[in-house]
Amino acid sequence: MSAYDPNNIFAKILRGEIPCFKVYEDDKTLAFLDIMPRATGHTLVIPKAPARNILDIEAEDLAAVIRTARKIAVAAKAAFGADGITLNQYSEPAGGQEVFHLHVHVIPRHDGVPMKPAASIREDMGVLKANADKLAAALAG
Ligand code: 5GP
């Protein structure tokens, strides 16, 4: 496995070098919307600690990511009227990983609606902003 690359896109988001539609943050994790969502409200949860994927993350950092993923799942179900939630985590190219800072996808799902293909259609920025606000409000409430 390659070493962690501090210039990956999510590391840049963590450092504030590029923007994101943030929905939640605590001392160990950050959650923001995927810009090419597979469904409305598709959120990415990442650790603040540098970890490439499931193969090198510290157990405590992974536990924090999962705690946050659960918070997002509960809030997203309410915010978007979802019938269910899909969690995905990909590790290494063979596992489908494209960005090499560990992330868990939290994807709100509706009965009978298939997910769009991964990383395929860039969502309108206004739509992302509105969805981030809606999810952040559900998290705060
Ligand atoms: P994975 O590594 O799990 O295969 O996929 C990486 C995910 O990151 C994809 O769902 C893709 O849409 C998302 N993504 C790629 N670049 C950016 C970006 O600059 N900002 C955000 N918010 N998401 C991104």
Side-chain angles (χ1 to χ4, degrees):
M1 187 171 86
S2 307
Y4 179 80
D5 173 8
N7 286 318
N8 74 76
I9 196 110
F10 294 167
K12 289 180 181 176
I13 286 175
L14 274 173
R15 292 195 294 267
E17 293 168 9
I18 63 168
C20 71
F21 292 97
K22 180 168 98 173
V23 296
Y24 177 83
E25 180 172 16
D26 60 25
D27 59 331
K28 283 188 170 294
T29 67
L30 176 69
F32 52 93
L33 294 191
D34 194 308
I35 53 168
M36 291 174 272
R38 302 193 68 180
T40 299
H42 180 171
T43 301
L44 301 170
V45 182
I46 68 174
K48 290 189 172 175
R52 182 174 162 92
N53 56 42
I54 197 72
L55 301 171
D56 65 341
I57 190 168
E58 296 289 339
E60 279 184 19
D61 292 319
L62 181 61
V65 167
I66 294 300
R67 269 196 298 275
T68 297
R70 182 178 178 281
K71 273 192 221 294
I72 302 295
V74 170
K77 187 171 183 301
F80 302 110
D83 300 306
I85 301 288
T86 296
L87 294 192
N88 285 334
Q89 197 287 315
Y90 305 108
S91 290
E92 295 299 310
Q97 186 175 16
E98 293 185 353
V99 176
F100 296 97
H101 182 108
L102 180 132
H103 50 282
V104 170
H105 299 255
V106 182
I107 308 172
R109 303 295 305 280
H110 290 86
D111 287 333
V113 180
M115 288 194 289
K116 293 178 196 163
S120 58
I121 305 162
R122 193 175 278 253
E123 184 57 276
D124 175 83
M125 293 289 128
V127 171
L128 288 173
K129 169 85 174 82
N131 288 339
D133 289 349
K134 206 187 261 193
L135 186 48
L139 281 156

